[in-house]
Amino acid sequence: LLNSFVDENGNVNYIGFEKESGTLNLYLDQLGSVTVNENWSREKKLTYYINLYNAATVKLILDNYPLTSITDIKKPWDKKWIKYGGEFISLGEIEHKILRKMNEPRIHFVINCASVSCPKLLNVAFFAHTLENQLHSATINFINEKNTLSRDRVDLSKIFKWFREDFERNGSLIDFLNDYSEVNIDSKAKIKFKDYNWALND
C-alpha cells in the first residue's frame, strides 16, 4: 500500500488509499491482535509500534476524508480507537507512553502526523532487520531537508522544541544535530524554531 500510494517525497494519495481501505483495515486488525512479547527484541518492538502508528494515522485521515489538515479532526491524538491487544489506545499513547519511553529519539523522524511539516511518510514499511538503516537515513533526511542549518544559526522544526528533552539525553541539541547535519554547527549557534505547517501531506 505504501509503495503504491506514497511517493518519494512522502506525499500521500489518499484517494488511492481509500480504494484499498479494506486491506488497510485488515492490516490494522492483524497488528491489533498481536500481543507484544517482552521477549521481542528492541528493534522488533520499535518496528511494530512505528508501523501501527503510521497505519493508524492514514486510517484516521481516510475516516475523515476529505479534509485539509489532521487538526480539522477533534482531538486526533487523544481518541482511543486503535485496536491493541484486546483494548483500544490512542495515537498519543503510542507516541508518548510507549515509543518515547524506549529511549530512541529518532522515532520522531519516522512517525508521521499526515502534515507538510512532519517527517515524510516512507513508501516502505519498517522491518526489524532494516530498522537501524531506516532510522539513520530518515534522521539525516529530516535534519538536512526540513531545517535551515548554518554554522552560526539554525532554524529548526518545532519537533526539536516540543521534544527537546528527548534529543538532549546524551548531550546538547546541537550535539545531536551535528551527528547528522551536513553542516558543522557551532555549539553556540543561535537557535530559532519555524512555524509548523499542518496542511495535509497529499
Side-chain angles (χ1 to χ4, degrees), residues 69-128:
S69 170
I70 192 171
T71 58
D72 295 341
I73 303 167
K74 186 177 180 182
K75 295 186 176 180
W77 296 285
D78 298 332
K79 290 179 182 175
K80 295 183 183 233
W81 63 273
I82 303 162
K83 189 190 296 182
Y84 174 69
E87 58 179 336
F88 292 94
I89 61 174
S90 67
L91 287 168
E93 285 175 297
I94 298 172
E95 180 177 11
H96 300 294
K97 293 188 177 179
I98 300 173
L99 281 170
R100 289 185 65 200
K101 291 187 175 179
M102 294 181 73
N103 195 27
E104 178 48 84
R106 295 175 298 174
I107 58 106
H108 293 295
F109 311 121
V110 293
I111 56 173
N112 179 266
C113 64
S115 305
V116 170
S117 285
C118 293
K120 68 182 182 183
L121 182 63
L122 298 187
N123 61 1
V124 292
F126 287 84
F127 296 93

Side-chain angles (χ1 to χ4, degrees), residues 143 173-181 183-187:
I143 285 176
L173 178 56
I174 298 294
D175 290 336
F176 182 88
L177 294 169
N178 272 329
D179 283 341
Y180 304 94
S181 171
V183 176
N184 184 24
I185 307 164
D186 188 85
S187 62

Side-chain angles (χ1 to χ4, degrees), residues 13-201:
N13 175 1
Y14 287 105
I15 294 172
F17 247 117
E18 203 162 26
K19 293 174 183 174
E20 294 289 343
S21 58
T23 305
L24 179 64
N25 291 339
L26 180 63
Y27 176 67
L28 280 165
D29 284 343
Q30 288 176 338
L31 285 182
S33 65
V34 169
T35 301
V36 176
N37 191 308
E38 283 308 307
N39 294 324
W40 284 16
S41 68
R42 180 173 178 270
E43 289 75 19
K44 188 173 181 180
K45 289 177 185 174
L46 282 165
T47 297
Y48 171 85
Y49 290 116
I50 291 165
N51 285 332
L52 178 62
Y53 187 99
N54 287 339
T57 298
V58 172
K59 177 171 170 53
L60 181 65
I61 297 299
L62 294 181
D63 286 349
N64 292 275
Y65 199 78
L67 71 171
T68 59
S69 170
I70 192 171
T71 58
D72 295 341
I73 303 167
K74 186 177 180 182
K75 295 186 176 180
W77 296 285
D78 298 332
K79 290 179 182 175
K80 295 183 183 233
W81 63 273
I82 303 162
K83 189 190 296 182
Y84 174 69
E87 58 179 336
F88 292 94
I89 61 174
S90 67
L91 287 168
E93 285 175 297
I94 298 172
E95 180 177 11
H96 300 294
K97 293 188 177 179
I98 300 173
L99 281 170
R100 289 185 65 200
K101 291 187 175 179
M102 294 181 73
N103 195 27
E104 178 48 84
R106 295 175 298 174
I107 58 106
H108 293 295
F109 311 121
V110 293
I111 56 173
N112 179 266
C113 64
S115 305
V116 170
S117 285
C118 293
K120 68 182 182 183
L121 182 63
L122 298 187
N123 61 1
V124 292
F126 287 84
F127 296 93
H129 68 279
T130 58
L131 180 65
E132 177 56 35
N133 285 338
Q134 288 175 306
L135 284 170
H136 186 74
S137 62
T139 303
I140 289 174
N141 181 281
F142 183 84
I143 285 176
N144 291 287
E145 291 190 11
K146 294 276 191 176
N147 304 275
T148 306
L149 309 175
S150 67
R151 177 165 179 79
D152 300 317
R153 173 176 168 149
V154 290
D155 290 355
L156 302 178
S157 162
K158 280 210 175 124
I159 285 174
F160 291 107
K161 181 178 183 180
W162 296 330
F163 306 113
R164 188 164 183 160
E165 64 188 88
D166 294 3
F167 302 110
E168 293 188 330
R169 286 178 181 152
N170 298 306
S172 70
L173 178 56
I174 298 294
D175 290 336
F176 182 88
L177 294 169
N178 272 329
D179 283 341
Y180 304 94
S181 171
E182 294 167 357
V183 176
N184 184 24
I185 307 164
D186 188 85
S187 62
K188 296 180 180 177
K190 186 173 183 180
I191 298 174
K192 285 203 164 189
F193 297 99
K194 300 184 174 194
D195 290 336
Y196 209 80
N197 185 350
W198 289 104
L200 194 66
N201 61 339

